[in-house]
Amino acid sequence: MSGYRQGDSGLILNEPLLWEKGKKGRSGFSLPTCDVDEAVFDESFSGEGPDFPDLSEVEVVRHYTRLSTWNFGVDTGLYPLGSCTMKYNPKTNERQAGLPGFAGSHPMLPEVRAQGALKLMYDLEQFLAEITGMAAATLQPAAGAHGELTGILMIHAYHLKNGEKRTKMLVPDTAHGTNPASGALCGYAPVAVPVGDDGVMRVEDVRSLMDGETAGIMITNPNTLGLFETHIKEICEAVHEKGGLVYGDGANLNAIMGHVKMAELGVDVMHFNLHKTFSTPHGGGGPGSGPVAVNKTLEPFLPVPRVAKEHENYTLVTDRPDSIGRMMTFYGHFGVMVRAYSYILTMGGEGLKTASSHAVLNANYIKERLKEAYHLAFDRTCMHECVFSDEKQHASGVTTLDVAKRLIDYGFHPPTVYFPLVVSGAIMIEPTETETKEDLDNFIETLMAISEEAKASPELLKAAPTRSKVRRLDETSAARKPCLCG
Ligand SMILES: *Cc1c(COP(=O)(O)O)cnc(C)c1O
C-alpha cells in the first residue's frame, strides 16, 4: 500500500491514488444474480479491459470527500483574490437554479414550452440594462473575455456600417490582460495609454493618442488598481469627438452598482461578469456568463437570437440584418442567469447598492489599517480593492511571494500577487462585501504579524509554507506538467 498511513500530519490526510487502493474482487455495488444468458459485448474484444481498481463504495466516497477538503473555496474562508471578486454567493440562488423546471429545461424546447425561461432571460436583460443605464443587453457571451469579444465585434460592425475600417484600439496600462487580447482578435492593434501619477488615466494622453484610425478605447472602471477613473467623462468625450466608441469592462461592477450608471459616464458598450458580481461561484473553470449591454447606437448590432416580448408572449428573434450573428450555439449559460436573476430580486435595488458600499468600505478599511506595515501603491481612497507592494520588506530580502506563502501557514488564501503589472511586487486585496469585521481584523492582524516576522526572522517567510500538503511549486511546470499523484 505504498507506505500509506492515514493522518500523517494531524488532520492533513495522505491520500493515495485510487489505483493504489482497493483489492481484487472488491465491488462498489451488488447486483442480483443474472437470470438471463450472458451476451458477448463485442466478438473482437479479447476480454482484457482497462485495469480499473476494485474498490468498495466507502473507499470511493472517502477518496473524493478527502480530495474535496483540500480545495479552498469561499465557503471555507476569506478569499481576498483581487481582480476576481471571489464573493460569497447566497445559497438560495443555487437552490433556484436547481429547480427542476429550470435545471431540466432543454435549449431545443419549442418557445411555447419555454415561456418561463424566456421571461427570466428577458427580465434579466432589462435589469442589467437598468443597472447600467444602457438601452439593451444580451446574455449570450460565456464569460467576461467572451463579452469583450462580442462588444468589440459590435464596435467593428458599427464602423464598417459607417464605411470606416479603423485599425487601432486604445487600452490603458491598468487594463485587464483580456482587453488587448480581445481587441487584437478583432484585428485592432492595441495602443497603450499610460497611467498618471495618481493611478488613473489623464485626458491629455487620451486626446493625443485618439485619431480617426482608432476604433475606440477599452476602459476598466474601477481600474485594476481599484481606483475610479476620475476623468472618465472627459475621456469618453475625447474618444467620441474623433468618432470612436467606448468599451467599458464591467468586471469590477461590484464596486459601483447602484451608485454609477456606466451609460451616464459615456460608455457605449460594456460587459458584466455574472460569475463575479451576480452570485455564481467561480474559479476552477465552471460555467461563467458575460452579458453585454449597449446604448441605442449599438443595439442593432447585438447578437441573435434576441428575446422579444409581444403582449405576454416571449419569442426568439433572429431577423436582425445588422446583427453580428451568434456568439454561442444556444443562448448562453442558463444556470448562471437564474442565479443572477434570483440574486437581483432578493437583493433589490437598494440591496445591490449597499453591497457595493460595503465592498468599498471593507477595502478601504484594510487599506488604512495595513498601510503602515505595507507600502501602498497609491495612497488615495480606493474602490473594492487595494494594492500594496513589498517595498517596505525589501530591506530584509522578503518578497511579495514570501508574504503570500506565509499567509497559507496561517490558514489564509493569499491575495492576488504581481498583478497589476504597473505596480512592482503588487499585493492586491479584494475583501468583498460579505466579510465580517472580525474576519477582516483577523486577516489584517495576520498580515501585520507577518510584516513583523519579515523584520525579525525573514527565514520563516522564506521557508513558508510549512503546513500545507505541498510547499513551493514550480508554478510553470505545475500548470504545464501537473503531477496528479499528490
Ligand atoms: C475577470 C476579468 C475579466 C475577464 O473575465 P472572464 O470571465 O475571466 O473571461 C476581464 N476584465 C476584468 C477587469 C476582470 O477582472
Side-chain angles (χ1 to χ4, degrees):
M1 289 283 286
S2 64
Y4 153 59
R5 278 187 298 152
Q6 186 179 338
D8 261 356
S9 158
L11 264 179
I12 300 176
L13 306 165
N14 276 332
E15 188 61 19
L17 296 178
L18 283 180
W19 270 265
E20 296 164 359
K21 299 179 82 163
K23 214 165 219 167
K24 276 282 162 249
R26 261 182 216 165
S27 171
F29 55 85
S30 51
L31 293 177
T33 326
C34 186
D35 61 357
V36 294
D37 292 342
E38 276 187 35
V40 179
F41 184 55
D42 180 350
E43 292 295 348
S44 62
F45 186 61
S46 69
E48 283 289 308
D51 181 25
F52 284 131
D54 293 12
L55 299 154
S56 69
E57 180 174 323
V58 70
E59 281 182 293
V60 175
V61 168
R62 285 193 183 149
H63 178 73
Y64 287 108
T65 307
R66 283 177 188 162
L67 292 190
S68 76
T69 65
W70 298 359
N71 221 349
F72 190 91
V74 75
D75 289 356
T76 326
L78 172 74
Y79 208 144
L81 216 49
S83 184
C84 291
T85 310
M86 305 297 284
K87 69 186 203 175
Y88 176 75
N89 302 297
K91 295 289 175 265
T92 181
N93 306 321
E94 288 296 329
R95 214 167 290 138
Q96 315 313 324
L99 288 174
F102 289 136
S105 64
H106 193 280
M108 289 177 87
L109 275 178
E111 285 167 18
V112 65
R113 297 264 169 264
Q115 287 295 299
L118 291 174
K119 174 180 164 44
L120 183 145
M121 290 166 70
Y122 183 88
D123 287 351
L124 180 58
E125 286 184 357
Q126 304 284 310
F127 294 159
L128 295 177
E130 188 182 332
I131 289 168
T132 52
M134 293 286 178
T138 173
L139 304 172
Q140 260 187 57
H146 198 208
E148 292 169 30
L149 177 64
T150 306
I152 303 301
L153 283 173
M154 280 191 266
I155 291 182
H156 187 264
Y158 162 85
H159 286 307
L160 218 56
K161 177 104 181 162
N162 292 342
E164 282 190 314
K165 198 166 177 341
R166 299 190 176 210
T167 53
K168 296 181 286 182
M169 182 65 73
L170 301 186
V171 183
D173 279 344
T174 47
H176 194 262
T178 48
N179 286 194
S182 302
L185 267 181
C186 299
Y188 293 122
V191 176
V193 184
V195 192
D197 294 338
D198 51 358
V200 297
M201 276 186 286
R202 288 177 295 237
V203 190
E204 312 87 85
D205 291 332
V206 174
R207 208 165 265 139
S208 69
L209 290 168
M210 186 64 207
D211 58 22
E213 295 284 287
T214 306
I217 189 168
M218 298 181 79
I219 305 182
T220 305
N221 192 29
N223 67 26
T224 55
L225 289 166
L227 302 176
F228 191 86
E229 288 289 344
T230 28
H231 313 299
I232 187 166
K233 273 191 166 175
E234 291 119 293
I235 288 171
C236 292
E237 276 162 29
V239 171
H240 288 148
E241 270 166 28
K242 293 282 164 64
L245 294 179
V246 178
Y247 184 88
D249 180 326
N252 293 339
L253 204 70
N254 207 46
I256 56 172
M257 64 182 165
H259 294 270
V260 177
K261 294 198 172 185
M262 294 281 243
E264 289 170 10
L265 300 176
V267 170
D268 300 289
V269 46
M270 63 169 289
H271 80 261
F272 305 77
N273 288 55
L274 296 191
H275 50 288
K276 288 182 182 169
T277 319
F278 294 98
S279 195
T280 279
H282 68 122
S289 177
V292 168
V294 292
N295 61 12
K296 274 263 170 277
T297 313
L298 287 175
E299 191 173 357
F301 303 98
L302 281 168
V304 285
R306 302 273 310 121
V307 187
K309 180 181 179 183
E310 274 171 46
H311 308 295
E312 282 310 305
N313 189 34
Y314 297 88
T315 53
L316 289 163
V317 178
T318 50
D319 179 23
R320 291 172 56 92
D322 287 331
S323 166
I324 57 164
R326 271 183 181 276
M327 293 304 289
M328 287 283 279
T329 313
F330 292 111
Y331 319 107
H333 290 152
F334 185 65
V336 185
M337 298 173 202
V338 181
R339 290 187 190 92
Y341 181 79
S342 168
Y343 181 67
I344 291 170
L345 286 183
T346 50
M347 296 290 281
E350 278 307 309
L352 294 178
K353 194 173 173 181
T354 310
S356 289
S357 305
H358 288 176
V360 170
L361 179 66
N362 286 355
N364 279 283
Y365 180 66
I366 289 179
K367 172 179 74 77
E368 284 305 308
R369 283 206 63 196
L370 279 179
K371 73 181 189 188
E372 283 295 309
Y374 295 89
H375 170 252
L376 193 57
F378 295 94
D379 192 357
R380 50 182 289 192
T381 306
C382 65
M383 299 301 290
H384 60 308
E385 56 199 1
C386 51
V387 182
F388 297 97
S389 86
D390 54 7
E391 209 177 289
K392 291 194 179 184
Q393 283 70 36
H394 278 176
S396 45
V398 163
T399 65
T400 288
L401 190 69
D402 302 329
V403 174
K405 296 297 182 193
R406 188 64 176 151
L407 270 171
I408 297 174
D409 278 341
Y410 284 106
F412 284 102
H413 193 288
T416 294
V417 291
Y418 300 104
F419 182 84
L421 302 176
V422 285
V423 175
S424 164
I427 304 173
M428 186 194 208
I429 300 172
E430 180 179 1
T432 80
E433 69 276 14
T434 37
E435 296 306 323
T436 62
K437 180 161 178 299
E438 297 86 315
D439 283 340
L440 291 180
D441 284 337
N442 195 357
F443 177 66
I444 290 165
E445 278 146 29
T446 302
L447 270 168
M448 285 175 169
I450 291 174
S451 96
E452 290 304 316
E453 283 179 351
K455 287 181 221 152
S457 32
E459 68 285 355
L460 281 178
L461 278 76
K462 290 286 170 197
T466 56
R467 302 180 59 204
S468 57
K469 276 221 81 73
V470 288
R471 308 282 289 275
R472 293 200 189 194
L473 302 172
D474 171 340
E475 286 168 15
T476 314
S477 306
R480 300 273 186 288
K481 297 181 207 146
C483 162
L484 302 177
C485 27

